[in-house]
């Protein structure tokens, strides 16, 4: 699907806040004063479970090659994404992408889920698949002569069988609506809070007949702050709450702290920027900082970029590529990999204390507490001294994996840990320190 200049302009406006943050916080090549970043990583202070990282092939009518599938989904030959987000067309078919993408992603250990952008034009009150509009739920609503809620619920639930038949893959999750708060000149549909509740209750019985039953996602708002009135509405309706498995949101307008009692996991399902194509480490750091904020401030369980590959626009909507070079590599691909390759589904975010205006750190441990990863984002423009103290864990060494101006998620020599502490220098870029918690193999978890 090729975006017109008008459509690209609207999408650019939608992302203005995120781009402003990128300009304010990351200026590639502009040195900031060097100040030692000293952090304390505490295994006894636990936060959310991380279920993984992903990206989408929706609208992209170019199938992934085996080499690209390795690059995106392999944990040994690529960045180890654990989710593929696909699109559902208004007729219930696949919306871009390829069924072979789902098969290849699954073969490499990823899960496949799908989102809807709009119901058919004849089932909407504005009579078109674009420009927002609502699903007709009663006769004489707009241009509709009847309710089509049951029709649309049947069609969405049917996508699970379509995926299984064509790709041999089980649908892991189904999202009711992409960006229900955004009227767009391309495929779009508005869903209000009360409409979400009603439609979830219509869709739930149909999903319940499927084996396996896909998880039901609601949300995916373009503006994170718009999510919370919907979650409150879902949580006020016992049957809708019981049927809902995941809340979803996008990050284009920044991060919002979780509101309410948190009865459901939260996935960030789409984020990119729309300025001219930029493969630099500066952009890679910007994307890593988005992930850091979503995980540490938004407490998400899953984080997604927008497209895997971008064959349409001369901008940054894909992890790789642009029309002139659809497979062009980028530093953001590898900075995403600094998270996705090492923080695997089921890992837990653990606490990191210590502030530095240019260095942002987060840490994660495996379900067994045997393996851990500390991700450090240095957006200062220069090398920075870095000191980490490990509390309630013990490790002999850590191995840095570096994405910088000269390195693409490359392993470096191990660094010794002495008296629970290691000292090193992190380059402008993203460094993941990978280690093993020896304490569980000796005197038990400390």
């Amino acid at each position: 699907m090729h975006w017109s200049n008008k459509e690209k302009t609207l999408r650019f406006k939608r992302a203005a806040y995120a781009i402003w943050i990128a300009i304010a916080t990351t200026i590639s090549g502009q040195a900031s004063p060097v100040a030692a970043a000293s952090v304390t990583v505490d295994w006894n202070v636990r936060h959310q479970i991380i279920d993984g990282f992903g990206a989408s092939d929706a609208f992209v009518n170019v199938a992934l090659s085996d080499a690209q599938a390795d690059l995106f989904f392999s944990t040994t030959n690529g960045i180890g994404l654990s989710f593929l987000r696909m699109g559902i067309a208004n007729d219930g078919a696949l919306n871009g992408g390829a069924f072979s993408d789902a098969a290849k992603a699954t073969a490499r250990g990823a899960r496949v889920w799908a989102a809807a952008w709009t119901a058919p034009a004849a089932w909407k009150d504005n009579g078109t698949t674009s420009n927002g509009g609502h699903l007709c739920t009663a006769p004489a609503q707009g241009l509709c002569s009847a309710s089509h809620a049951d029709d649309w619920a049947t069609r969405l639930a049917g996508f699970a069988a379509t995926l299984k038949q064509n790709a041999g893959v089980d649908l892991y999750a189904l999202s009711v609506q992409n960006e229900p708060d955004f009227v767009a000149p391309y495929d779009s549909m508005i869903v209000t809070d009360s409409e979400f509740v009603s439609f979830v209750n219509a869709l739930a019985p149909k999903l319940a007949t499927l084996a396996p039953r896909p998880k039901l996602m609601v949300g995916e708002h373009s503006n994170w702050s718009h999510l919370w009135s919907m979650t409150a509405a879902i949580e006020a309706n016992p049957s809708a709450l019981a049927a809902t498995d995941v809340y979803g949101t996008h990050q284009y307008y920044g991060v919002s702290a979780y509101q309410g009692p948190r009865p459901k996991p939260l996935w960030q399902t789409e984020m990119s920027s729309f300025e001219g194509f930029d493969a630099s480490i500066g952009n890679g750091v910007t994307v890593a900082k988005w992930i850091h904020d979503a995980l540490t401030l938004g407490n998400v369980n899953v984080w997604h970029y927008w497209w895997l590959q971008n064959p349409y626009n001369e901008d940054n909507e894909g992890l790789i590529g642009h029309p002139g070079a659809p497979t062009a590599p980028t530093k953001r691909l590898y900075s995403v990999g600094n998270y996705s390759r090492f923080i695997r589904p089921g890992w837990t975010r653990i606490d990191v204390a210590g502030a530095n205006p240019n260095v942002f750190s987060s840490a994660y441990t495996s379900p067994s507490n045997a393996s851990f990863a500390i991700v450090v984002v240095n957006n200062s423009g220069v090398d920075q001294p870095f000191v980490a103290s490990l509390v309630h864990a013990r490790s002999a060494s850590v191995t840095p994996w570096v994405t910088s101006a000269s390195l693409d998620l490359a392993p470096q020599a191990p660094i010794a840990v002495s008296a629970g502490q290691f000292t090193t220098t992190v380059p402008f870029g993203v460094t993941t320190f990978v280690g093993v918690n020896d304490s569980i193999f000796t005197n038990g978890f400390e």
Side-chain angles (χ1 to χ4, degrees):
M1 179 176 182
H2 179 71
W3 305 114
S4 68
N5 287 336
K6 179 181 179 181
E7 290 164 341
K8 287 184 67 179
T9 298
L10 287 170
R11 288 176 66 83
F12 186 91
K13 288 179 178 178
R14 178 180 61 165
Y17 179 81
I19 295 172
W20 178 85
I21 291 293
I23 294 171
T25 60
T26 304
I27 306 175
S28 177
Q30 180 173 327
S32 297
V34 175
S38 180
V39 301
T40 298
V41 182
D42 190 343
W43 266 251
N44 276 6
V45 182
R46 305 260 165 153
H47 300 286
Q48 78 273 29
I49 293 174
I50 307 301
D51 291 318
F53 302 83
S56 180
D57 67 356
F59 297 102
V60 179
N61 297 312
V62 181
L64 295 175
S65 67
D66 287 335
Q68 288 175 331
D70 282 342
L71 177 65
F72 292 126
F73 300 106
S74 171
T75 56
T76 55
N77 300 314
I79 66 169
L81 294 177
S82 42
F83 286 102
L84 171 64
R85 179 190 186 218
M86 306 193 84
I88 303 174
N90 64 72
D91 62 357
L94 188 64
N95 190 358
F99 287 115
S100 60
D101 293 354
K104 290 176 180 179
T106 301
R108 290 158 177 80
R111 293 164 170 167
V112 177
W113 66 281
W117 264 253
T118 181
W123 295 358
K124 294 173 63 182
D125 59 6
N126 66 349
T128 176
T129 58
S130 59
N131 298 310
H134 296 253
L135 177 69
C136 289
T137 57
Q141 178 183 339
L143 301 176
C144 288
S145 59
S147 170
H148 292 287
D150 188 73
D151 298 328
W152 186 227
T154 299
R155 184 165 291 184
L156 288 183
F159 184 78
T162 300
L163 182 66
K164 186 70 172 183
Q165 179 180 356
N166 289 276
V169 170
D170 292 326
L171 183 65
Y172 182 74
L174 173 67
S175 172
V176 170
Q177 180 61 43
N178 173 76
E179 298 189 345
D181 58 336
F182 184 66
V183 176
Y186 46 87
D187 284 358
S188 57
M189 188 166 74
I190 297 301
V191 183
T192 66
D193 298 341
S194 61
E195 287 171 343
F196 263 118
V197 171
S198 296
F199 190 73
V200 164
N201 284 322
L203 179 60
K206 301 180 188 301
L207 295 184
T209 67
L210 303 179
R213 173 192 173 276
K215 293 182 182 296
L216 175 57
M217 180 189 300
V218 295
E220 289 204 83
H221 292 70
S222 67
N223 189 319
W224 200 314
S225 65
H226 294 170
L227 176 68
W228 307 118
S229 62
M230 184 215 69
T231 63
I234 292 287
E235 289 158 21
N237 185 283
S239 58
L241 180 61
T244 298
D245 299 288
V246 178
Y247 295 144
T249 188
H250 294 174
Q251 198 175 343
Y252 292 109
Y253 292 93
V255 172
S256 173
Y258 204 107
Q259 297 181 20
R262 195 182 177 94
K264 304 296 177 181
L266 176 61
W267 292 16
Q268 193 291 117
T269 59
E270 184 182 313
M271 180 60 177
S272 70
S273 58
F274 306 90
E275 70 274 21
F277 181 75
D278 181 0
S280 73
I281 187 58
N283 177 261
V285 168
T286 294
V287 172
K289 182 59 165 52
W290 291 343
I291 301 173
H292 174 87
D293 288 349
L295 293 173
T296 63
L297 302 178
N299 289 286
V300 299
N301 304 91
V302 175
W303 193 93
H304 289 72
Y305 202 74
W306 174 208
W307 275 329
L308 294 166
Q309 55 180 334
N310 175 13
Y312 297 121
N313 305 313
E314 296 282 351
D315 61 19
N316 289 332
E317 291 182 73
L319 285 174
I320 64 172
H322 58 84
T327 62
T330 68
K331 292 296 181 179
R332 63 180 165 272
L333 170 76
Y334 296 104
S335 66
V336 170
N338 276 93
Y339 292 89
S340 58
R341 180 162 175 165
F342 306 104
I343 306 164
R344 303 305 301 163
W347 284 44
T348 299
R349 183 169 71 88
I350 54 179
D351 202 61
V352 176
N356 182 288
N358 303 306
V359 179
F360 303 89
S361 304
S362 59
Y364 311 83
T365 187
S366 66
S368 68
N369 294 310
S371 301
F372 66 88
I374 303 169
V375 185
V376 180
V377 182
N378 174 9
N379 73 346
S380 69
V382 296
D383 293 353
Q384 292 275 357
F386 181 78
V387 181
S389 299
L390 312 183
V391 178
H392 300 114
R394 188 163 51 237
S395 183
S397 66
V398 293
T399 299
W401 289 71
V402 178
T403 299
S404 65
S406 59
L407 297 172
D408 295 331
L409 198 58
Q412 305 300 295
I415 299 169
V417 178
S418 178
Q421 186 177 91
F422 68 90
T423 301
T424 186
T425 298
V426 290
F428 175 49
V430 190
T431 303
T432 303
F433 297 98
V434 178
V436 174
N437 176 15
D438 297 326
S439 65
I440 70 166
F441 302 114
T442 55
N443 298 322
F445 184 68
E446 295 184 339

